[in-house]
Amino acid sequence: MRILAIDTSCDETAAAVTDGRKVLAQALYSQVTTHKQWGGVVPSLARRAHEERIDGIIAQTIKKYNIAIGNKDLTSYNGIDYLAVTYGPGLAIALEVGMKKAQELALKHNKQIIPVNHMEGHIYSCFVQNRNANPKREFSFPYLALLISGAHTEIVLVTDHITYKVLGETRDDAAGEALDKAARMLGFGYPGGPTLERLAKQIDNSDTYKFPRPMIGSKDLAFSFSGLKTSFLYFLRQMPEDEKLSHLKELSSSFQEAVFDTLKRKLTRAIDTTGVNNIIVGGGVAANKRLRYILRAMIKTKKGSIYFPVYSYLTGDNAAMIGVVASYKAEKGMICSPADLPDRVPRLTLG
Ligand code: KG4
Ligand code: ZN
C-alpha cells in the first residue's frame, strides 16, 4: 500500500512516500535556522515557512518516488493509494498548512485521506524500513513506548497496532524542552539538546552537581521537569560568572544526567508495574547517545529489549513515520474522504 504522507506539525516541512513499512522517497525542510535566533519555535514563522516550502517538498518527494519505481513521468501520482497527514498534536497554524495541502491533493488526484496522530508516528519510527526492508525487526506486542521530544514526554502502553494507553506524561515541561531551556540559560542556541550532549561527552558524562531528580519518589508515572529547571536557574544565579563559564561542561553534563536518570527511573517503574519489558523509544531526544547507553544498560538488568529509530532523520520529525502508521490505520479502515478530514487538534492525545 503506497501512501503520500505529510507532516507540518512543528518546525519541519516533511513529505514521504511509503509502501507498508518501507520508505520509497522522502524530503524534509528543517526550519531550525529560522527559529534559532528566537530561542524556540515561533508559530507564525513556522506557518510561513511551511507555506513557502510545502509545494517544493512534495514535488521533490514525488520526483524521488517516480525515480524509485522507474517511472519516466516524474510528476505522476500513479500507484499512490492514499494521502496521510498529521492532524495533531502540534501548532494549530502549522498543522493547517499540511492538512490543507493533503485535502487539495486528495481532491485533485481522487484519493482518500488517513489522519494520523504525530505521536503514533514517533512510536512507529522504530519500525520504519529503507527500500531494502531494513531493519528487519518484527512487531512483538505489547510494548512500552517512551516518547521524548521538544513538546512531549510520555510513557505509552502499546498492546496492538494502533492501540494505545498513556500510562504517564509530563505535568509541565517536556524532556527536550527542559534540555533546550537549560542550554539557553548557559547561553547556547536552539535546539539545546545536541549541544549539551556534545559538551557532556567531553567530560565522560560526569555528574558533578547532582541536580534533583524530579518526581522519582512518586509512585505514578508522571513527569515534571519545571522544578529541575528552576533549581538549575537558582544554582546558576549564585554562581560567579567566571566560575560558570569555566564549568559549562560540568553544568551541561549534570543537567543532562538529571533528566536522563529521571527518564530511566520512571521507565523502570513502568516496566515493574506492567511487566512489559519490550521498549520503544522515539522523539528528538532519542537521538542522544548517552541516553541510549543508559537505557540499554537498564533494559539488560530487566532482561528485555529496547528499540530506537535506526536512521538518524527518524528521531526528529519526519513524514516517513506518518506514512508507516497510516498503512496500519488503513488496514483498520481508519480512512476518510477529503471533505471529512477532522479539524486539527493541537492537543491531540493517544488512545
Ligand atoms: O521530535 P522533535 O524533533 O520535535 C518535536 O516534536 O518536539 O524533538 C525536538 C527536541 C528538542 O528539544 C531537541 O533539543 C531534542 O529533541 N534533541 C536532543 C537531541 N537532538 C534533538 N536532545 C538530546 N540529545 C540530542 N542529540
Ligand atoms: Zn515530534
Side-chain angles (χ1 to χ4, degrees), residues 45 64 82 121 150 154 162 200 254 312 334 342:
L45 296 181
K64 288 183 188 172
Y82 297 104
E154 52 190 339
I162 322 296
S254 300
S312 60
M334 301 166 93

Side-chain angles (χ1 to χ4, degrees), residues 39 175-199 229 232-233 236 244 248 251-253 255-256 259:
E177 188 180 1
L179 296 170
D180 292 338
K181 286 179 175 168
R184 200 175 169 187
M185 288 181 218
L186 294 174
F188 305 126
Y190 171 84
T195 310
L196 297 191
E197 175 176 26
R198 188 169 44 78
L199 292 179
K229 179 187 67 187
F232 189 64
L233 179 68
L236 292 181
K244 192 169 102 182
L248 289 175
L251 290 162
S252 299
S253 186
F255 189 86
Q256 184 180 266
V259 172

Side-chain angles (χ1 to χ4, degrees), residues 67-339:
I67 292 170
I69 63 166
N71 194 351
K72 286 209 176 63
D73 176 1
L74 299 184
T75 62
S76 169
Y77 277 63
N78 276 353
I80 291 178
D81 301 296
Y82 297 104
L83 269 288
V85 69
T86 301
Y87 72 110
L91 304 169
I93 59 174
L95 289 162
E96 282 167 3
V97 179
M99 293 177 71
K100 231 177 84 194
K101 189 55 65 181
Q103 254 170 334
E104 183 189 311
L105 291 171
L107 280 171
K108 184 172 168 197
H109 298 283
N110 199 19
K111 314 270 182 220
Q112 292 201 299
I113 305 182
I114 305 156
V116 174
N117 178 321
H118 181 81
M119 300 315 288
E120 27 180 12
H122 280 304
I123 292 174
Y124 278 78
S125 63
C126 293
F127 298 95
V128 174
Q129 296 177 325
N130 68 9
R131 261 193 278 161
N132 301 322
N134 286 316
K136 300 286 182 219
R137 53 179 67 157
E138 292 301 331
F139 287 98
S140 163
F141 297 100
Y143 294 98
L144 283 178
L146 174 67
L147 305 181
I148 35 179
S149 70
H152 293 87
T153 296
E154 52 190 339
I155 297 178
V156 183
L157 177 65
V158 188
T159 47
D160 198 351
H161 282 300
I162 322 296
T163 313
Y164 321 101
K165 185 176 178 210
V166 179
L167 301 182
E169 60 195 327
T170 183
R171 294 189 175 155
D172 38 60
D173 292 354
E177 188 180 1
L179 296 170
D180 292 338
K181 286 179 175 168
R184 200 175 169 187
M185 288 181 218
L186 294 174
F188 305 126
Y190 171 84
T195 310
L196 297 191
E197 175 176 26
R198 188 169 44 78
L199 292 179
K201 190 172 169 241
Q202 292 172 21
I203 53 163
D204 293 330
N205 303 298
S206 73
D207 192 9
T208 316
Y209 298 112
K210 301 196 169 38
F211 292 117
R213 275 50 172 164
M215 314 250 321
I216 48 165
S218 77
K219 289 262 181 298
D220 61 20
L221 299 173
F223 298 90
S224 165
F225 290 106
S226 81
L228 170 64
K229 179 187 67 187
T230 309
S231 68
F232 189 64
L233 179 68
Y234 288 149
F235 189 82
L236 292 181
R237 276 199 189 148
Q238 56 78 43
M239 215 176 185
E241 195 61 20
D242 55 343
E243 195 184 330
K244 192 169 102 182
L245 290 176
S246 60
H247 288 84
L248 289 175
K249 289 176 190 168
E250 287 78 3
L251 290 162
S252 299
S253 186
S254 300
F255 189 86
Q256 184 180 266
E257 286 300 296
V259 172
F260 292 173
D261 191 33
T262 306
L263 294 174
K264 179 193 86 174
R265 294 206 207 181
K266 285 288 177 178
L267 187 58
T268 308
R269 190 185 295 280
I271 293 170
D272 292 343
T273 52
T274 59
V276 176
N277 62 358
N278 204 14
I279 311 296
I280 293 170
V281 190
V285 185
N288 190 289
K289 292 207 170 57
R290 173 65 181 160
L291 178 69
R292 290 187 180 207
Y293 174 85
I294 290 172
L295 295 183
R296 281 197 175 111
M298 180 275 283
I299 205 66
K300 242 186 208 166
T301 69
K302 297 285 173 192
K303 302 196 170 12
S305 318
I306 190 158
Y307 301 93
F308 297 91
V310 170
Y311 306 105
S312 60
Y313 76 92
L314 290 170
T315 51
D317 290 344
N318 65 88
M321 65 185 190
I322 303 301
V324 172
V325 174
S327 67
Y328 294 97
K329 293 193 118 171
E331 277 173 18
K332 290 180 182 278
M334 301 166 93
I335 296 166
C336 66
S337 67

Side-chain angles (χ1 to χ4, degrees), residues 43-74:
S44 57
L45 296 181
R47 182 196 181 98
R48 196 194 306 159
H50 285 310
E51 281 171 339
E52 283 168 7
R53 299 285 175 160
I54 187 128
D55 286 334
I57 287 293
I58 291 172
Q60 250 187 63
T61 306
I62 291 294
K63 184 175 169 185
K64 288 183 188 172
Y65 159 69
N66 282 301
I67 292 170
I69 63 166
N71 194 351
K72 286 209 176 63
D73 176 1
L74 299 184

